């Protein structure tokens, strides 16, 4: 449909996502394509499947509310670019606009996409603060001094560095995947699922959901335990007594038993259940309330840590505990080595397992930012920067704390005083008590908020029907998923033992971290065109080391927990494989299968085939001896003989002409997804010079056959001047983006940059728009789109006066028209006159190449005018370009092939190197990771 001339666009905001609709294209006549190419607005809450069916129905025929389209650039078959860009209501709905039942990704994630009116979060509040809040949690306050006392300073340093290396490598892999495109809701589940497939994504995603749910219980128990230690009078039940026996030296006890008090299990259960229920009520209030309240919890945490450091440096203060010696080299030496003792009636902890399993949850907050991916302004920038800064800063803080605590207190104080941090804090332990309680409650709130949304994201992908109860549609809160998460959290709170819960959390988180690293490793090995992360520090070896490190830590902590977690993930994977629905996300495994098949085919021709592996692949010469009758293209006995050697194969192509032979090749070539999807051919530059009158009809026939067979087309002009690998080019690669092509032109330009000849070139994208277009807003839209595609390019908006908008046109009789334009007009008029004379003489309809054609002289003039203006625009802006890429207009239905060749000649006139590109019904680039 013709766009409204008064179309306006609002200003582009920095947090807006791309707005270009790279939707599948339907081919046919130019008018039909125009009618189905317009962008559509999908209202919030619209059922996606219904909308997808409506889109497919509307794209298979004419628009329901109008006749055939009359686009001002209808020669190119689709709406002009200006009609597709600038519509901010389409932000985040690219997948929906191109939705079809084949795309499982669109069917799931878009349901839970945030509203456009939702306030987006920046790097600080959206990633850094949540990560910091989850990392600086209960373990640091009430378990870290005990870890230093058990493992000593040197083993504690190794422990912190070891776990920090694991999270640092995982952060690098996470950053690489997150910068490979726009992310939707689901956090690490979304990343793993899109890289390793729905089966792996769902299995690891559900385990990660359990880890987050159990982590909520850990934080609640930490807050309750701290509260009861600070206020013993709040206990309902009789307090329990723990006996701590010091280690043996030379076979004899080095000290007497020490009696300390710990909160009663029933008190932990009662208070834990109450706190969990209260937090669930807050979660039911919505994510907006949580986003406003949660950052306030971090301020007491940072203030309490500052108070701890101040207290450490001024210790010992009056009335200080006998164990606190102040910073002392002697104390540091005494605490340098390990000293494992019986504590909490739990036996002697394993030096490799217990400490590692107890400490690792303290560094498992690195996914907190990616869990908010749907609420971030810029995921490609915020996730790497925020997560990496949080990881490095907290790791350095833990390393420093090992030295400070090791030099501050005696071994007995480190092992017996669970709240040594509070005892040493300045000015009062109450500051640390408040910091612990608020930080743990804030972290619990984050877990109870993130876990239900993770479960809802898995359910919204519609892979497992059993999870349909947990779906959360757009604009609604995941209430059912929140209730289920609360049930799991309360069940773990009833256990009441923090030291039993933490290893369980560790396994689920490590499994997720290993999945992120393996996803990045697989994508690196595939080296697919769509894998273009912005993160420059990443390398496949780092991902592999990170994955191996995660697996090693899992087995070091506990063989039992590792086997149980892997078995659970395997059972979920098997169940998804049996009962789950297919999700075509373009995952890495499918790409691996494709590349494996491709490499296998290439390796077959690399060496001489062994006699055991030889197999006949016949190529039949149809007329080698003697001449068969004209109506017999091939001897039937010869075809039967070929079928004996190769069964169920169409190996014989018989064609009386080039166009018919090409049509046969297009239909029979390749196997499965290994069929060619793009046809590359040379532009017939010599057709007029050599008077090859059959070329126009053959050329048009080949293009139409490619469109019908759903093949992309690239026509190369100037092949003789194309540089070889030793001829380095300097300049620009200019793209004249006129219509939607699925991103093929953009992808081709990026592939050119990977060649040594063009690697020094820069890309310029020229957006062809009609006059009265707000060029600056259109330019900002395209720049944002290219940014989300990880493509570096300069954007230039060029306005072209359309045929209807030019009041001075006079049917091509203007005196200032260039000679090439007037020559084309003259040749076309002569050709049409000859056809008409022949038709009148033979008393038949107007025919060309055996086909009936229709001559619309006004349409011919319009198309010539469009090509003239476009050619002039290209010459004005790209005369010195290394190569130019421009959209290929489809041959109009029942149009003269000779006229089409004249259009094309006018388009490429005086342009030395040009690629004329036509996309097909699939996108070749995507905004999403």
């Amino acid at each position: 449909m013709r766009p409204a001339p008064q179309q306006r666009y609002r200003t582009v905001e920095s947090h807006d996502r791309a707005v270009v609709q790279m939707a599948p294209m339907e081919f046919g006549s130019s008018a039909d394509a125009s009618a189905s190419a317009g962008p559509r607005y999908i209202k919030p809450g619209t059922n996606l499947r219904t909308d997808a069916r409506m889109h497919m129905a509307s794209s298979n025929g004419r628009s329901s509310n109008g006749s055939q389209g009359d686009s001002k650039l209808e020669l190119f078959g689709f709406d002009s670019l200006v009609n597709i860009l600038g519509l901010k209501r389409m932000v985040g709905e690219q997948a929906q606009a191109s939705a079809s039942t084949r795309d499982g990704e669109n069917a799931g994630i878009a349901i839970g996409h945030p509203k456009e009116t939702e306030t987006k979060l920046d790097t600080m509040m959206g990633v850094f603060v949540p990560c910091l809040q989850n990392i600086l949690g209960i373990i640091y306050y009430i378990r870290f001094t005990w870890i230093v006392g058990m493992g000593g300073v040197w083993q504690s340093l190794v422990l912190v560095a070891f776990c920090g290396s694991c999270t640092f490598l995982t952060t690098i892999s996470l950053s690489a995947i997150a910068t490979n495109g726009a992310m939707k809701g689901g956090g690490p589940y979304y990343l793993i699922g899109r890289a390793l497939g729905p089966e792996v994504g769902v299995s690891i995603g559900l385990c990660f959901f359990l880890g987050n749910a159990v982590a909520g219980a850990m934080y609640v128990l930490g807050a309750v335990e701290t509260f009861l230690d600070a206020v013993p009078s709040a206990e309902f039940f009789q307090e329990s007594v723990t006996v701590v026996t010091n280690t043996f030296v030379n076979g004899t006890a080095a000290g007497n038993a020490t009696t300390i008090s710990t909160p009663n299990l029933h008190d932990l259960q009662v208070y834990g259940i109450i706190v969990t229920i209260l937090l669930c009520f807050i979660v039911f209030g919505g994510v907006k309330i949580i986003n406003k309240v949660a950052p306030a919890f971090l301020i007491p945490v940072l203030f309490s840590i500052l108070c701890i450091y101040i207290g450490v440096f001024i210790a010992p203060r009056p009335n200080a505990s006998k164990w606190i010696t102040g910073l002392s080299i002697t104390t540091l030496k005494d605490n340098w080595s390990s000293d494992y003792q019986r504590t909490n009636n739990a036996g002697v902890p394993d030096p490799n397992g217990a400490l590692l399993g107890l400490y690792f949850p303290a560094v498992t907050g690195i996914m907190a930012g990616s869990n908010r991916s749907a609420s971030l302004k810029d995921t490609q920038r915020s996730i790497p920067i925020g997560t990496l800064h949080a990881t490095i800063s907290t790791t350095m803080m833990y390393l420093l704390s090992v030295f400070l605590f090791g030099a501050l207190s005696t071994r007995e104080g480190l092992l017996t005083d669970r709240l040594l941090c509070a005892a040493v804090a300045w000015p009062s332990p109450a500051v640390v008590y408040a910091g612990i309680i608020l930080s743990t409650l804030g972290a619990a709130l984050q877990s109870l908020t993130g876990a239900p949304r993770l479960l809802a994201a898995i359910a919204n992908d519609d892979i497992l029907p059993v999870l349909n109860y947990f779906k959360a549609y757009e604009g609604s809160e995941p209430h059912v998923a929140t209730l289920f998460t609360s049930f799991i959290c309360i069940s773990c709170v009833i256990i009441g033992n923090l030291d039993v819960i933490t290893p369980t959390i560790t396994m689920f988180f490590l499994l997720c971290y290993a999945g992120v690293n393996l996803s990045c490793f697989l994508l690196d090995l595939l080296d697919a065109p769509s894998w273009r992360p912005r993160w420059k520090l990443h390398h496949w070896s780092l991902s592999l080391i990170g994955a191996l490190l995660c697996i090693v830590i899992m087995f070091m902590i506990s063989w039992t927990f590792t086997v149980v977690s892997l078995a659970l993930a395997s059972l979920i994977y098997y169940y998804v494989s049996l009962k789950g629905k297919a999700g075509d996300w373009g995952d890495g495994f499918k790409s691996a299968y494709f590349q494996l098949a491709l490499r296998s085919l290439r390796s077959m021709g690399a060496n001489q085939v062994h006699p055991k592996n030889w197999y006949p692949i016949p190529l039949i010469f149809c007329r080698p001896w003697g001449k068969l009758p004209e109506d017999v293209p091939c001897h039937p006995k010869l075809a039967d003989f070929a079928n004996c050697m190769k069964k169920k194969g169409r190996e014989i192509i018989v064609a009386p002409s080039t166009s018919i032979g090409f049509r046969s090749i297009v239909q029979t070539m390749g196997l499965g997804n290994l069929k060619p999807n793009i046809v590359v051919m040379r532009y017939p530059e010599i057709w007029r010079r050599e008077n090859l009158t059959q070329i126009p009809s053959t050329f048009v026939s080949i293009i139409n056959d490619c469109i019908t067979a759903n093949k992309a087309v690239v026509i190369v002009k100037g092949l003789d001047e194309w540089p070889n690998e030793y001829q380095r080019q300097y300049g620009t690669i200019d793209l004249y983006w006129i219509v939607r092509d699925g991103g093929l032109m953009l992808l081709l330009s990026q592939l050119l940059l990977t060649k040594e000849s063009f690697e020094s070139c820069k890309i310029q994208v020229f957006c062809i728009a009609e006059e009265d277009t707000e060029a600056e807003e259109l330019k900002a839209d395209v720049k944002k789109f290219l940014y989300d595609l990880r493509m570096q390019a300069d954007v230039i908006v060029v306005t072209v006066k359309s045929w209807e908008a030019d009041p001075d046109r006079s049917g091509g009789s203007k005196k200032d028209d260039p000679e090439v334009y007037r020559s084309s007009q003259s040749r076309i008029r002569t050709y049409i006159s000859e056809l008409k004379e022949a038709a009148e003489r033979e008393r038949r309809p107007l025919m060309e190449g055996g086909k009936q054609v229709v001559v619309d002289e006004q349409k011919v003039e319009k198309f010539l005018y469009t090509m003239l203006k476009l050619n002039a625009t290209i010459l004005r802006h790209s005369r010195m370009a290394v190569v130019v890429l421009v959209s290929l207009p489809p041959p109009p239905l029942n149009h003269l092939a000779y006229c089409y060749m004249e259009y094309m000649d006018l388009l490429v006139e005086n342009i030395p190197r040009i690629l004329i590109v036509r996309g097909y019904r699939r996108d070749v680039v995507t905004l999403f990771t």
Side-chain angles (χ1 to χ4, degrees), residues 284-535:
F284 270 96
V287 69
K288 292 183 179 180
I289 298 177
I290 297 171
N291 288 337
K292 293 179 181 179
V293 174
F297 286 99
L298 185 62
I299 298 176
V301 177
L302 298 178
F303 181 72
S304 63
I305 293 176
L306 178 62
C307 293
I308 292 173
Y309 284 164
I310 295 176
V312 168
F313 283 104
I314 66 175
R317 289 181 295 158
N319 301 324
S321 172
K322 62 179 180 179
W323 298 314
I324 299 177
T325 64
L327 295 178
S328 171
I329 296 296
T330 303
T331 306
L332 182 66
K333 291 180 179 179
D334 293 339
N335 294 328
W336 184 260
S337 59
S338 61
D339 191 1
Y340 292 93
Q341 301 183 17
R342 300 177 184 273
T343 59
N344 297 342
N345 298 324
V348 180
D350 181 4
N352 294 325
L355 296 186
L356 188 61
L358 186 60
Y359 170 74
F360 196 85
V363 296
T364 55
I366 61 174
M367 296 295 180
S370 62
N371 288 336
R372 295 166 169 242
S373 56
S375 300
L376 297 176
K377 292 180 182 178
D378 188 352
T379 57
Q380 299 187 48
R381 181 181 183 274
S382 297
I383 290 179
I385 295 177
T387 308
L388 189 62
H389 280 75
T391 302
I392 294 177
S393 60
T394 52
T395 301
M396 297 303 296
M397 191 205 73
Y398 278 119
L399 290 174
L400 176 62
S401 298
V402 171
F403 285 103
L404 294 180
F405 293 146
L408 175 69
S409 174
T410 63
R411 181 89 60 180
E412 187 177 6
L414 292 174
L415 293 176
T416 57
D417 193 349
R418 290 190 171 217
L419 289 173
L420 182 63
C421 293
V424 75
W426 174 90
S428 169
V431 175
V432 175
Y433 292 149
I436 295 174
I437 294 174
L438 290 178
S439 68
T440 50
L441 291 180
L445 195 63
Q446 295 290 343
S447 297
L448 294 176
T449 303
R453 281 155 180 79
L454 175 61
L455 181 60
I458 300 174
N460 288 342
D461 274 344
D462 204 21
I463 301 298
L464 282 180
V466 72
L467 299 178
N468 289 341
Y469 298 102
F470 304 114
K471 287 184 177 180
Y473 295 95
E474 185 177 4
S476 62
E477 294 291 329
H479 295 308
V480 179
T482 302
L483 288 175
F484 184 68
T485 304
S486 305
F487 172 77
I488 297 177
C489 186
I490 291 176
S491 301
C492 294
V493 167
I494 293 175
I495 298 176
N497 192 336
L498 190 65
D499 300 327
V500 174
I501 293 177
T502 49
T504 308
I505 302 171
T506 302
M507 292 302 163
F508 290 139
F509 278 85
L510 280 170
L511 194 62
C512 178
Y513 295 172
V516 171
N517 284 294
L518 288 176
S519 301
C520 198
F521 173 69
L522 177 63
L523 293 174
D524 265 328
L525 287 184
L526 295 176
D527 194 23
S530 60
W531 177 241
R532 296 187 305 278
R534 296 181 184 272
W535 194 245

Side-chain angles (χ1 to χ4, degrees), residues 3 12 56 67 156 173 218 386 388 458 501 504 508 532 757 824:
V12 180
M56 295 176 65
S67 58
S156 299
S173 298
M218 180 190 72
L388 189 62
I458 300 174
I501 293 177
T504 308
F508 290 139
R532 296 187 305 278
S757 303
S824 296

Side-chain angles (χ1 to χ4, degrees), residues 595-649:
Q595 293 205 19
L596 180 62
L598 200 59
R599 291 177 182 177
S600 299
L601 291 176
R602 290 173 178 172
S603 64
M604 293 296 293
N607 302 307
Q608 186 67 29
V609 179
H610 193 274
K612 291 189 296 184
N613 302 325
W614 185 88
Y615 197 84
I617 304 177
L619 176 63
I620 307 300
F621 290 89
C622 298
R623 302 169 181 265
W625 314 113
K627 185 177 181 181
L628 294 173
E630 292 297 333
D631 58 345
V632 182
C634 180
H635 200 288
K637 297 295 183 183
L638 196 59
D640 292 339
F641 175 72
N643 286 330
C644 294
M645 292 185 289
K646 181 66 175 178
K647 295 183 178 180
K648 297 182 180 179

Side-chain angles (χ1 to χ4, degrees), residues 17 92 94-95 105 180-184 190 790 926-929:
R17 292 189 178 177
Q94 178 223 13
E105 174 183 356
N180 188 48
M183 285 179 58
K184 296 181 180 178
Y190 176 82
R790 297 89 67 202
T926 178
L927 299 179
F928 303 105
T929 181

Side-chain angles (χ1 to χ4, degrees), residues 7-10 82 772-779 797:
Q7 181 67 60
R8 291 294 183 265
Y9 313 100
R10 75 168 177 83
V82 68
D772 300 328
T773 300
E774 296 184 9
E776 290 302 320
E777 297 181 9
L778 177 60
K779 179 179 179 179
V797 177

Side-chain angles (χ1 to χ4, degrees), residues 122-143:
D122 56 10
T123 302
M124 176 61 70
M125 302 308 300
V127 180
F128 182 75
V129 169
C131 289
L132 209 64
Q133 188 173 15
N134 280 267
I135 295 175
L136 298 179
I138 186 64
I139 301 298
Y140 179 78
Y141 288 105
I142 68 175
R143 290 293 184 271

